[in-house]
Coordinates of all heavy atoms in Angstrom, one line a residue:
P115 N -57.5 157.9 73.8 CA -56.4 158.8 73.9 C -56.1 159.7 72.7 O -56.0 160.9 72.8 CB -55.1 157.9 74.1 CG -55.8 156.7 74.7 CD -57.1 156.5 74.1
L118 N -58.5 162.5 72.4 CA -58.3 163.6 73.5 C -57.1 164.5 73.0 O -57.1 165.6 73.0 CB -57.9 162.9 74.7 CG -57.5 163.9 75.9 CD1 -58.6 164.8 76.3 CD2 -57.0 163.0 77.2
V148 N -59.0 160.5 85.0 CA -59.8 159.8 84.0 C -59.0 158.7 83.4 O -57.8 158.9 83.0 CB -60.2 160.8 82.9 CG1 -61.0 160.1 81.7 CG2 -61.0 161.9 83.4
A149 N -59.6 157.5 83.3 CA -58.9 156.4 82.6 C -58.9 156.5 81.1 O -59.9 157.1 80.6 CB -59.6 155.0 83.0
A150 N -57.8 156.3 80.5 CA -57.6 156.6 79.1 C -56.9 155.3 78.5 O -55.8 155.4 77.9 CB -56.8 157.8 78.8
G151 N -57.5 154.2 78.6 CA -56.8 153.0 78.1 C -55.7 152.5 78.9 O -55.7 152.1 80.0
A152 N -54.4 152.6 78.3 CA -53.2 152.2 78.8 C -52.7 153.0 79.9 O -51.7 152.8 80.6 CB -52.2 152.0 77.8
F153 N -53.3 154.3 80.1 CA -52.8 155.2 81.2 C -53.9 156.0 81.8 O -55.1 155.9 81.4 CB -51.7 156.1 80.6 CG -52.2 156.8 79.4 CD1 -52.9 158.1 79.5 CD2 -51.9 156.3 78.1 CE1 -53.2 158.7 78.3 CE2 -52.4 157.0 76.9 CZ -53.0 158.2 77.0
T154 N -53.5 156.8 82.7 CA -54.6 157.7 83.4 C -54.2 159.1 83.1 O -53.0 159.5 83.1 CB -54.6 157.4 85.0 OG1 -54.9 156.1 85.2 CG2 -55.6 158.3 85.7
V155 N -55.3 159.9 82.9 CA -55.1 161.4 82.6 C -55.6 162.1 83.8 O -56.7 161.8 84.4 CB -56.0 161.8 81.4 CG1 -55.9 163.2 81.2 CG2 -55.4 161.1 80.1

Side-chain angles (χ1 to χ4, degrees):
L118 177 65
V148 177
F153 54 89
T154 300
V155 174

